[in-house]
Amino acid sequence: MKIALLSDFHLGYGRFREDAYKQAEEALGKAADLADLLLIPGDIFDNRNPDPEILAEAITLFRNLSERDWKARVTEFEGAGRHFTSVPVVAIPGTHERRAEGVEDPVDLLGLAGLLVDVSNAQAIVEKDGERVAIRGIGGIADDRFREVLKKEAPRPAPGMFSIFLFHESVYEFLPFSKDFIKTEELPDGFDLYACGHIHSRVESKAHGKPFLIPGSTVLTQLKGGEQERKGFYIFDTKTGAYSFNCIDSRRFVLVRISAGGRAPSEIERDIEERIKAEAARGDVPILRIEIEGRLKEGYRNLDINTPELVERYRKMATVEIGKLGMELEEGADAGKVTKSLPVESISIKDYGLGIFMEKLKESKYGLQKNPAELFEMLSADEKKDSVVGRVVDMLIG
Ligand SMILES: [Mn+2]
């Protein structure tokens, strides 16, 4: 069987909403042309409460897939929830869709609508010409809870068939920032393929001697050096164990570094303009992040570089973001300090917030029964703050 692995579409991502939709559409379409089965390990949506317009985008994409003539079919399902389609599009919710336990998330909605099969804490079996493939999934949860859930769920490969473990977490080998992050050796043993979402640049590695793949996001989200590679998806062949990365026509992203070199702001502005013009010459409206480093000529401040004006002037030729981080900061030195202390290459702001929350709880010697990560989920629910706080207080002392 040919399996496509594609992830982190982030539909509704504010800054590049159109890119998110177009690139997900292209990835899904190409993947469906090449594969018998599509696997999506989370973050289909950028937000756990997407607007109806964003839900409509997702429904459109997945309905188009449902109408294709699939040779493979989901024939069995076991575990949490139910399945409402036999179309071989199998997914889990990611951390961006995560909501408090027992509450529907937007991927659940797509599952209920029969547009995909949600294998969060469940296993689906897909069959084609007598070949059977099992997909065991665990939806994205707070990193510090993943070991506990692995223990409780004890995911095991299905006997006698090619088995895939599908999940959405930070993995320590590729994000060595926290001891909470799972190591590949801690993943359940015995699967033939490990497929993960969450990390937005692609990873090809091994877990328990078997292929471990992360396809990365289909849309640019972080404007970091590592995201300059082309976006796309994997195709994995269960017969040969071979896999290949297939690029999509994602918007080009270029990180440009300019040294201030003791010059006046007007000279740096000229430099920036030249770089924008050079990159925009291909006419593909690239995304440029320009980082200015070093020190300005004496007597000038960072603010003297008129970046908003430059961004606006070239808006139609390129999407430009100009950062002055890394310069000797005269103004906003504290902001610089905070940003530099962020261990973020691929951690979401939410996960970073959760980290701070956990630190504070540790300091105050939190000793209650309720899991702190679950508490954080409840407190960060998109509802009126007094009803959220009321519910949390009820839960803690009620
Ligand atoms: Mn993501």
Side-chain angles (χ1 to χ4, degrees):
M1 217 179 283
K2 292 232 169 71
I3 297 168
L5 177 63
L6 55 173
S7 192
D8 293 74
F9 306 156
H10 287 268
L11 295 176
Y13 176 57
R15 187 156 50 159
F16 302 125
R17 179 173 160 189
E18 213 183 305
D19 287 1
Y21 180 78
K22 275 206 292 209
Q23 291 170 199
E25 183 182 39
E26 188 194 344
L28 285 167
K30 281 190 175 160
D33 287 343
L34 295 169
D36 303 302
L37 158 63
L38 307 193
L39 296 184
I40 308 167
D43 286 1
I44 292 173
F45 296 96
D46 189 59
N47 185 296
R48 58 192 161 168
N49 288 321
D51 290 338
E53 293 77 18
I54 309 298
L55 280 169
E57 288 186 359
I59 290 170
T60 305
L61 292 176
F62 286 95
R63 197 198 49 225
N64 288 343
L65 291 179
S66 293
E67 285 163 0
R68 283 178 177 245
D69 179 24
W70 295 93
K71 300 283 184 290
R73 286 285 165 184
V74 176
T75 54
E76 281 175 52
F77 185 91
E78 191 182 306
R82 289 174 60 193
H83 73 301
F84 298 96
T85 180
S86 64
V87 171
V89 176
V90 175
I92 50 170
T95 36
H96 276 251
E97 290 125 342
R98 183 174 67 202
R99 299 189 68 204
E101 230 165 90
V103 181
E104 302 292 355
D105 65 56
V107 175
D108 287 329
L109 297 185
L110 298 180
L112 284 169
L115 294 168
L116 53 77
V117 175
D118 179 355
V119 288
S120 187
N121 299 345
Q123 173 184 277
I125 291 173
V126 174
E127 214 167 321
K128 185 199 167 199
D129 301 332
E131 185 192 358
R132 302 169 87 214
V133 167
I135 307 105
R136 180 70 168 82
I138 292 186
I141 46 161
D143 290 300
D144 74 305
R145 289 192 61 204
F146 191 54
R147 284 186 183 93
E148 168 199 324
V149 171
L150 274 185
K151 210 168 165 193
K152 185 171 140 235
E153 289 283 319
R156 258 190 282 274
M161 62 186 97
F162 191 91
S163 295
I164 301 163
F165 183 59
L166 193 67
F167 68 114
H168 183 104
E169 297 299 317
S170 303
V171 178
Y172 188 80
E173 281 93 329
F174 317 110
L175 290 175
F177 302 129
S178 162
K179 294 223 160 64
D180 286 335
F181 297 174
I182 200 86
K183 294 196 173 124
T184 50
E185 67 191 35
E186 296 175 89
L187 293 170
D189 200 357
F191 285 88
D192 301 292
L193 171 63
Y194 295 81
C196 184
H198 195 52
I199 296 176
H200 284 193
S201 30
R202 68 190 207 240
V203 169
E204 295 176 11
S205 187
K206 295 254 175 190
H208 304 293
K210 293 295 167 66
F212 172 101
L213 299 176
I214 301 176
S217 61
T218 52
V219 66
L220 182 72
T221 56
Q222 285 164 341
L223 276 64
K224 299 261 180 187
E227 285 211 89
Q228 292 181 100
E229 64 186 17
R230 291 281 298 280
K231 300 292 188 185
F233 58 92
Y234 282 106
I235 296 284
F236 185 98
D237 188 338
T238 59
K239 287 261 156 62
T240 61
Y243 56 85
S244 62
F245 191 80
N246 293 257
C247 291
I248 58 169
D249 190 21
S250 53
R251 203 132 71 96
R252 191 162 56 91
F253 167 57
V254 188
L255 179 67
V256 176
R257 293 209 162 88
I258 290 178
S259 163
R263 292 178 297 164
S266 60
E267 288 177 65
I268 294 163
E269 283 167 18
R270 237 187 333 262
D271 245 20
I272 294 173
E273 284 197 72
E274 263 164 38
R275 293 305 298 264
I276 296 174
K277 282 186 195 154
E279 289 297 342
R282 286 199 224 167
D284 60 353
V285 194
I287 296 164
L288 303 182
R289 163 137 180 112
I290 297 171
E291 288 181 358
I292 308 164
E293 298 166 326
R295 227 179 235 286
L296 287 175
K297 188 172 177 179
E298 229 177 277
Y300 290 103
R301 298 174 311 141
N302 297 339
L303 284 175
D304 297 334
I305 307 173
N306 191 351
T307 52
E309 200 274 324
L310 283 169
V311 169
E312 183 53 31
R313 192 184 320 157
Y314 291 97
R315 197 168 46 85
K316 290 205 171 103
M317 293 165 73
T319 303
V320 180
E321 185 182 280
I322 302 175
K324 300 175 200 171
L325 283 176
M327 292 186 78
E328 299 297 329
L329 288 163
E330 294 161 50
E331 66 271 336
D334 284 347
K337 219 184 286 163
V338 169
T339 318
K340 271 187 194 153
S341 75
L342 281 177
V344 279
E345 189 65 36
S346 294
I347 305 182
S348 70
I349 291 297
K350 189 174 168 185
D351 287 342
Y352 185 67
L354 177 61
I356 294 172
F357 183 68
M358 303 288 271
E359 281 302 311
K360 294 285 168 204
L361 285 182
K362 245 179 238 165
E363 279 169 24
S364 66
K365 302 202 167 57
Y366 175 85
L368 297 170
Q369 288 298 311
K370 194 72 187 174
N371 184 295
E374 184 66 11
L375 197 57
F376 183 82
E377 280 306 320
M378 289 182 75
L379 285 168
S380 59
D382 298 321
E383 289 164 42
K384 278 208 179 116
K385 287 303 151 203
D386 34 348
S387 66
V388 166
V389 172
R391 216 152 15 92
V392 170
V393 170
D394 277 353
M395 184 268 298
L396 287 174
I397 56 178

